[in-house]
Amino acid sequence: MDTSIAYDVVLLPDTDRAVAYRKRAADSGCSLMGVTVAAFGVWVRDLWELYGDGRTFVSRLEREALLRAACEGPAEGDCVDSENGKRAQRDGASGRCELAEGRIADGACALVGDSEAGALGLDRVAAACVAAGVGLPAFDAAVRDARQGVPAGAGALEGVTRAEVPVLRMIGEYLDRLAQLELIEPGQALALLPELLPQRPLRVLLEDAAPLTPGQEAFFSACPWMEVEVRAASGYQGPVRAPEGVRVRFAFPSGQYAWPALLADIVRDALGAAAGRGAAPAAVAVPVAAAGSAAGDDGASSCEDASGSADGYRDGRSAGAQAAAVVVAAKDPAVLFGRVAPALVRQGHVVALRGRRRFVDTSFGRAICSLRRFLDDGQVGGASHIEGYGDIAATDVERWDRADLADWALSPFSGMTKKAAFKLDADMRADRTARRSDLCARLRGDNPMFAAMERLALQLDAQAAAELEVAVRRMTNRSEAWRAEQLAALRALQRAADAAKLAGLGADAAFDQAKRLKVNVSRIVAPRGCDGAALGAPDVLMTDQSTAASLGSGSCKVLVAADLTSAAYPAADPEDASRVLLEHLGVERADSALARMRRAFFALEHAATDQLILERCLNDSSADPTYPCVVLEEFVDCYRDDPTATEDIDNPYSLPERLQDGMLLRGEDALCANDTLSDAPAPEAARIEPPLTGAVSSEARSLVVLPRVLQGGQVLDEPCLSPSQIESYLECPYKWFAQRRLRLDDLDEGFGPLEMGDFAHNALHSFYKHMSEDLGEAKVTPQLLAQARELMADVLARHKALQPHLRQSENRLIPTSQVEHRELAELERKLMDYLDFEAELLPTFAPKYLEYDVACGGAVDYAGHKLLGTADRIDVDGEGRCAIIDYKGSISGSYALGVREEGRLGKVQALIYAQVIRRTLGLEPVGALYVCYGRRKMISGAYDGRVIENAHLPNMRHKDCMCADRPFSDVLDETEEAVAAALERMLAGDIRPRPETPEACKWCPVSSCSERRG
Ligand code: SF4
């Protein structure tokens, strides 16, 4: 740097560099008295404020909002005074619109990335064109001609396609609107300023400059009284060898698990063992005083820093950035900091972060976006076509997701304790009838935080934002840095809201914009007892490439350039519609992604005095191989004799042998070491034996079956089971254990086979009860079908009406969507159709016992143990013979007696009931039947072929179910014997996964089972 500045104005690409320039001048004793040092965009804004016509620069958010409004149609309810067409200032209560300040941030480009522009709508294409083209004669003429109806290809629209003309017309309307609002594009101001500026000599230096944009070129050409010197930023031709004395090393973690551990190793090695500032593990976190964005400012485009006004972020880079011993330039420094900083702090180092985080990744951003999704009525609209159901419109319940409210409730912005948040979640999930409006009313009533967030999320209410700001400031249990980050996010949303209001847009537009914003994040963490903020110079600074590049030559001992993959730093500029349109108008982009990368890499190379470490993860998060970014390849080529050769770099690292010296490698096999970021063996705190699987320990064996409370309050200590439990154990012991003992049930109230089955059982029970009570008939016959249908219709209507009044534990059936309503209607149809089948079933028998408690309130003996349960129905004939009927919604092959020929028991519930009935009621069982009321009416099970005629069991595979060669009672005894053996195994704690058929695994909740079949 010159010790005496020979310029009146020194312009730098962005504010970071301007601040660094001033600091270097101060350090070197160079006076800047009377010298303006600023980013180009800031300087132009200042000139416009002094010499302009009073209009204010439009911000990027405002530009995008106004263009979106132009795209969507005429603006309504915006901030324009209807009488004079001028922009009105509204006060806080009615929606504040204070847009006069900080309109153009100094190079703080707040968008997530330029690459997104390609995927965006017409308004975003127009916004990109406006930022780059407005103020240039060719562009302005094209806009004018498009508005005057000149056809594509004629006049100033030569080379413009028909599809592009509407975009130019829309830009024209936007510029008119801008004038109405007393706003101006920076490009327009740049074109007007030469006429307005006093023509006195001015020595201007563009230091560290990127190639001038067409707007800048035109401006300086129109100001001949300015003596302009451009000092191009170094490195634009490509990387060079690292400076003499700087050791170059390469680092290759093999994958994402090894990545943070290797970076921690590198930092630790670089810092050496010298850091001994106390070793208490806990750390303090405070925000680093930080400035705006590191994004470039080309002067013609207005950029906005999402965190510009947050306390603690207000102004200027701290000295801490300058003197960090190690600087790590990462693609996402906040993620790296989160993974690595705690381990480094434990070892006594002070670690700082300076980076940017997406609005939606901040705690506030996540909370408000979740709440908005929950509250937003329009998130699911229209009808969707579902195979078999036709066009289905979403119901109210489908328009909101319980998870969104739960996410908000679990955030620090709900004002709820964790316990209360989990309870709210559990209550919502257990109740399908929960209504959004009721939940809102309940939360509104007793949670002021919800009320404020709701007003902000739905109405962008400025008063609510103010209340939230106060609430954040009161969260003193959180670190100051965290609070600053949330305040920055809150203000980013407010700015997006203000821009949307200005354009007459609603909350949707504001949230769309806010979601693309990034906010500055800064932290400094230090070992306990060490005031990191007061230190000024952290041991390690983690930041992005652009910020690291702005630190200046020799600013650190070791520089680690991380994530040097082609995916993290693509060299190609996005080919989007705005670029094509600008090219058609002859507006070429002066700069390119590759040139920017080269300049940044050059600066990184020269930032270190001792070591330059270049890191590339060999595999990405999908375990696919990565490729070096272009500048890394170019840098490697600097050290090769023949850059066109391939043999010398044909290795996993793409490095010639001479650069492989001192390579830093780390694999992913050392899982614990990678996770703890330490190779030191972890001290053994406790030894835990692997849990016993497939068996219940001897101490817990007595709890395999819990004591039962019988009717009347009597507690039965001996093992007592139900036929369905036994059947489940026979199906697969481990599945039984998971379902019945661990109860791996879903928290959500369901609408599935369980609820449908209970509804059908209850309806059929009620139907037969009323058959005998109202019609005086026990059995449906062909003659009674008409009356039976009438009765069934009545029963179904009453049962449907009853469902919402049942307890959740009663498996009520509550449809909440159109699809579920149709499923319920289909079930009703099935039950109605079942009556025809019923009229043909067992005509010589009649239902006598319905939902019969086989143990009559107590417990009966079966297979050497106690048993209780309820048989769906028992049909009896005049000879004292009975058939046990179990209703099923569907039936598989396992229900037939014939499966015993395959060496398995199959389904046993009805057979168990039959044996118990034989003993308790003295009836002679001749059938244990499973009757399906589903779409295909059919029967399965076992029956005595010598007693029941095949014709009385329609839709049955008789040969699989009939027992004709031996007494039916033999089947019942044989079943009891097999069940007794199984119960012995159960009570001995044998719960090994042993599926009887692959079908058992189909709906099994044990997701990680080594025996899973099918
Ligand atoms: S997955 Fe299959 S084998 Fe495993 S527990 Fe479930 S049913 Fe048994």
Side-chain angles (χ1 to χ4, degrees):
M1 176 179 289
D2 303 332
T3 49
S4 65
I5 296 288
Y7 303 94
D8 302 307
V9 178
V10 179
L11 299 177
L12 290 117
D14 54 54
T15 299
D16 282 353
R17 284 176 174 78
V19 172
Y21 187 94
R22 284 193 213 115
K23 280 181 180 162
R24 284 201 300 277
D27 289 347
S28 61
C30 174
S31 168
L32 288 176
M33 179 79 81
V35 180
T36 301
V37 179
F40 181 82
V42 176
W43 180 60
V44 171
R45 185 184 61 192
D46 291 346
L47 290 180
W48 182 256
E49 277 176 12
L50 281 174
Y51 303 106
D53 60 13
R55 285 182 285 171
T56 318
F57 274 23
V58 69
S59 74
R60 183 168 194 154
L61 290 174
E62 289 165 342
R63 177 194 299 139
E64 288 180 1
L66 288 165
L67 279 164
R68 178 171 173 157
C71 233
E72 288 180 359
E76 283 169 22
D78 60 10
C79 311
V80 178
D81 187 317
S82 56
E83 283 184 14
N84 58 19
K86 288 183 180 174
R87 195 162 48 110
Q89 297 282 329
R90 297 196 289 201
D91 66 16
S94 61
R96 211 167 157 81
C97 185
E98 291 176 348
L99 297 158
E101 292 166 21
R103 203 153 288 289
I104 295 291
D106 42 359
C109 178
L111 276 183
V112 168
D114 289 342
S115 58
E116 279 196 7
L120 299 169
L122 209 56
D123 52 333
R124 302 296 305 285
V125 172
C129 291
V130 167
V134 163
L136 299 175
F139 188 90
D140 291 348
V143 170
R144 193 177 53 245
D145 280 7
R147 294 211 70 190
Q148 288 170 358
V150 175
L157 298 179
E158 194 183 339
V160 174
T161 65
R162 274 175 55 195
E164 289 167 341
V165 173
V167 179
L168 293 170
R169 211 176 292 137
M170 192 169 82
I171 290 172
E173 284 161 20
Y174 158 74
L175 293 174
D176 286 354
R177 183 100 179 105
L178 220 52
Q180 263 188 350
L181 295 168
E182 296 184 347
L183 294 173
I184 188 168
E185 276 289 337
Q188 289 177 312
L190 210 55
L192 292 173
L193 270 173
E195 293 290 319
L196 304 170
L197 292 178
Q199 299 191 2
R200 57 165 187 258
L202 202 66
R203 292 162 303 168
V204 179
L205 170 66
L206 284 117
E207 179 72 287
D208 221 2
L212 296 189
T213 64
Q216 289 171 324
E217 294 266 17
F219 171 75
F220 288 122
S221 306
C223 301
W225 60 91
M226 288 188 193
E227 193 185 313
V228 181
E229 182 182 338
V230 179
R231 283 192 199 153
S234 307
Y236 61 92
Q237 301 101 328
V240 294
R241 286 190 179 200
E244 202 65 38
V246 174
R247 185 183 179 198
V248 178
R249 298 179 77 187
F250 290 82
F252 296 102
S254 67
Q256 300 296 312
Y257 290 117
W259 176 73
L262 182 58
L263 282 164
D265 282 351
I266 292 169
V267 170
R268 263 191 301 256
D269 287 353
L271 290 170
R277 293 185 178 94
V284 291
V286 292
V288 180
S293 155
D297 183 356
D298 59 11
S301 68
S302 60
C303 301
E304 192 161 274
D305 180 353
S307 71
S309 56
D311 285 355
Y313 286 78
R314 206 173 282 279
D315 212 1
R317 290 284 177 200
S318 75
Q322 254 181 334
V326 180
V327 173
V328 184
K331 181 70 184 169
D332 192 340
V335 170
L336 181 65
F337 181 85
R339 292 287 286 112
V340 172
L344 294 175
V345 170
R346 274 197 297 275
Q347 284 153 5
H349 303 301
V350 178
V351 188
L353 160 72
R354 191 163 298 131
R356 293 168 72 69
R357 203 193 290 280
R358 295 189 320 157
F359 169 80
V360 286
D361 291 336
T362 63
S363 298
F364 173 75
R366 263 200 306 270
I368 194 88
C369 289
S370 299
L371 189 63
R372 179 161 171 80
R373 279 196 303 277
F374 167 71
L375 296 168
D376 186 10
D377 250 332
Q379 66 170 280
V380 177
S384 43
H385 187 82
I386 298 175
E387 193 64 38
Y389 287 98
D391 290 334
I392 302 284
T395 63
D396 176 64
V397 174
E398 285 177 293
R399 288 202 189 92
W400 60 281
D401 188 344
R402 286 162 166 76
D404 287 328
L405 185 61
D407 282 348
W408 168 81
L410 284 163
S411 80
F413 293 88
S414 68
M416 298 170 86
T417 61
K418 254 200 177 135
K419 193 175 167 192
F422 279 123
K423 183 168 183 325
L424 175 71
D425 181 39
D427 288 352
M428 273 192 300
R429 293 176 64 177
D431 183 4
R432 290 173 67 82
T433 61
R435 291 160 60 93
R436 178 167 46 180
S437 51
D438 295 342
L439 287 166
C440 287
R442 174 179 142 193
L443 288 166
R444 225 174 273 138
D446 49 39
N447 188 332
M449 202 82 147
F450 175 84
M453 296 240 352
E454 184 190 27
R455 283 184 354 254
L456 184 62
L458 289 181
Q459 300 150 21
L460 303 173
D461 182 36
Q463 182 59 36
E467 287 170 29
L468 288 170
E469 187 169 331
V470 172
V472 174
R473 288 185 192 284
R474 284 200 189 128
M475 293 182 187
T476 46
N477 55 338
R478 307 236 163 210
S479 74
E480 194 186 335
W482 183 89
R483 294 199 302 271
E485 185 181 317
Q486 309 320 314
L487 289 173
L490 178 56
R491 287 173 190 176
L493 178 60
Q494 279 178 281
R495 277 198 298 283
D498 287 343
K501 284 178 189 169
L502 175 77
L505 296 171
D508 272 347
F511 273 89
D512 281 354
Q513 281 194 316
K515 283 177 195 167
R516 294 197 302 272
L517 292 175
K518 280 186 168 184
V519 297
N520 282 347
V521 288
S522 72
R523 296 272 192 289
I524 186 160
V525 284
R528 193 182 289 285
C530 172
D531 184 353
L535 283 176
D539 299 321
V540 189
L541 171 67
M542 295 184 183
T543 187
D544 53 65
Q545 251 197 18
S546 178
T547 307
S550 71
L551 296 177
S553 166
S555 54
C556 60
K557 278 193 159 51
V558 179
L559 187 126
V560 185
D563 309 314
L564 295 177
T565 64
S566 56
Y569 296 104
D573 284 300
E575 284 298 324
D576 54 46
S578 63
R579 187 183 172 93
V580 174
L581 175 52
L582 289 169
E583 276 173 9
H584 288 166
L585 293 172
V587 181
E588 296 288 342
R589 284 192 194 178
D591 207 2
S592 68
L594 181 58
R596 281 193 294 274
M597 279 169 56
R598 283 172 168 172
R599 293 196 300 270
F601 193 83
F602 185 91
L604 296 182
E605 277 185 64
H606 291 80
T609 53
D610 290 3
Q611 274 194 72
L612 171 68
I613 300 177
L614 305 169
E615 181 269 339
R616 170 170 73 91
C617 202
L618 293 175
N619 296 289
D620 64 16
S621 50
S622 316
D624 292 328
T626 64
Y627 300 94
C629 62
V630 171
V631 284
L632 183 58
E633 287 182 315
E634 290 178 336
F635 178 75
V636 169
D637 286 347
C638 298
Y639 293 84
R640 297 172 65 208
D641 299 329
D642 178 9
T644 59
T646 53
E647 309 80 52
D648 61 332
I649 54 166
D650 187 15
N651 55 60
Y653 316 110
S654 305
L655 288 184
E657 209 174 317
R658 62 193 291 192
L659 288 181
Q660 293 184 24
D661 178 38
M663 237 174 12
L664 301 154
L665 303 173
R666 190 165 185 115
E668 294 195 287
D669 40 346
L671 280 179
C672 281
N674 280 342
D675 195 51
T676 55
L677 310 188
S678 165
D679 286 325
E684 193 175 285
R687 179 169 283 275
I688 299 168
E689 293 304 325
L692 201 63
T693 52
V696 178
S697 65
S698 49
E699 307 85 67
R701 209 157 288 165
S702 60
L703 300 173
V704 167
V705 180
L706 292 178
R708 290 260 188 183
V709 181
L710 304 176
Q711 277 178 23
Q714 185 201 341
V715 178
L716 190 64
D717 284 329
E718 7 173 1
C720 182
L721 293 146
S722 69
S724 68
Q725 280 212 58
I726 295 169
E727 193 172 273
S728 169
Y729 182 82
L730 290 170
E731 204 180 16
C732 173
Y734 200 69
K735 182 178 177 182
W736 163 79
F737 183 72
Q739 278 186 327
R740 306 283 177 145
R741 292 299 285 113
L742 299 181
R743 299 194 72 89
L744 299 181
D745 295 336
D746 210 331
L747 282 179
D748 301 273
E749 185 177 17
F751 186 89
L754 178 66
E755 292 76 18
M756 295 248 189
D758 276 16
F759 179 89
H761 276 67
N762 292 336
L764 288 167
H765 176 214
S766 182
F767 169 79
Y768 277 108
K769 213 163 141 258
H770 286 282
M771 271 286 288
S772 68
E773 284 174 9
D774 301 351
L775 303 182
E777 300 282 350
K779 172 97 185 103
V780 179
T781 59
Q783 298 74 30
L784 284 171
L785 265 176
Q787 286 165 282
R789 285 197 190 107
E790 225 172 89
L791 179 61
M792 180 60 99
D794 180 52
V795 165
L796 291 174
R798 280 190 288 107
H799 273 261
K800 262 197 327 184
L802 181 70
Q803 296 305 304
H805 306 289
L806 296 177
R807 290 191 305 272
Q808 283 112 305
S809 59
E810 291 176 292
N811 300 329
R812 58 192 190 168
L813 186 68
I814 310 271
T816 53
S817 67
Q818 293 286 339
V819 170
E820 288 173 354
H821 277 287
R822 291 195 190 194
E823 282 177 355
L824 177 55
E826 199 178 317
L827 176 62
E828 289 180 74
R829 224 177 3 258
K830 284 178 193 165
L831 290 170
M832 190 62 87
D833 294 347
Y834 171 71
L835 297 178
D836 294 87
F837 186 68
E838 180 68 48
E840 294 175 32
L841 178 67
L842 297 173
T844 57
F845 289 74
K848 179 146 188 211
Y849 301 95
L850 303 171
E851 295 294 327
Y852 179 70
D853 177 0
V854 294
C856 299
V860 290
D861 292 324
Y862 181 79
H865 296 283
K866 293 292 178 195
L867 183 124
L868 47 75
T870 307
D872 290 348
R873 191 174 120 192
I874 303 168
D875 286 16
V876 181
D877 72 359
E879 313 284 323
R881 292 177 295 216
C882 69
I884 314 301
I885 289 183
D886 201 17
Y887 296 124
K888 293 286 169 196
S890 63
I891 280 178
S892 70
S894 296
Y895 286 85
L897 181 66
V899 297
R900 298 208 175 166
E901 286 166 21
E902 297 166 18
R904 55 195 176 99
L905 262 185
K907 300 291 180 184
V908 293
Q909 265 198 75
L911 289 165
I912 294 175
Y913 283 129
Q915 181 77 313
V916 172
I917 295 300
R918 182 178 161 207
R919 289 191 191 131
T920 55
L921 293 181
L923 295 169
E924 182 196 350
V926 291
L929 304 170
Y930 301 96
V931 178
C932 177
Y933 54 80
R935 192 170 295 165
R936 243 192 104 211
K937 316 293 183 248
M938 57 194 290
I939 314 173
S940 191
Y943 71 96
D944 191 336
R946 295 166 308 177
V947 177
I948 303 178
E949 287 178 36
N950 286 1
H952 294 170
L953 294 169
N955 295 355
M956 181 186 229
R957 293 167 72 95
H958 296 104
K959 72 174 175 42
D960 292 342
C961 306
M962 187 198 300
C963 162
D965 54 351
R966 54 189 170 140
F968 194 68
S969 57
D970 284 4
V971 177
L972 302 183
D973 293 341
E974 168 191 299
T975 304
E976 186 169 9
E977 248 174 64
V979 168
L983 291 184
E984 290 315 310
R985 289 199 302 276
M986 176 199 274
L987 296 172
D990 178 359
I991 52 166
R992 273 169 296 175
R994 208 169 39 238
E996 194 181 46
T997 61
E999 211 174 83
C1001 302
K1002 230 180 200 172
W1003 310 112
C1004 177
V1006 185
S1007 51
S1008 58
C1009 175
S1010 57
E1011 300 295 325
R1012 182 174 278 279
R1013 285 159 58 184

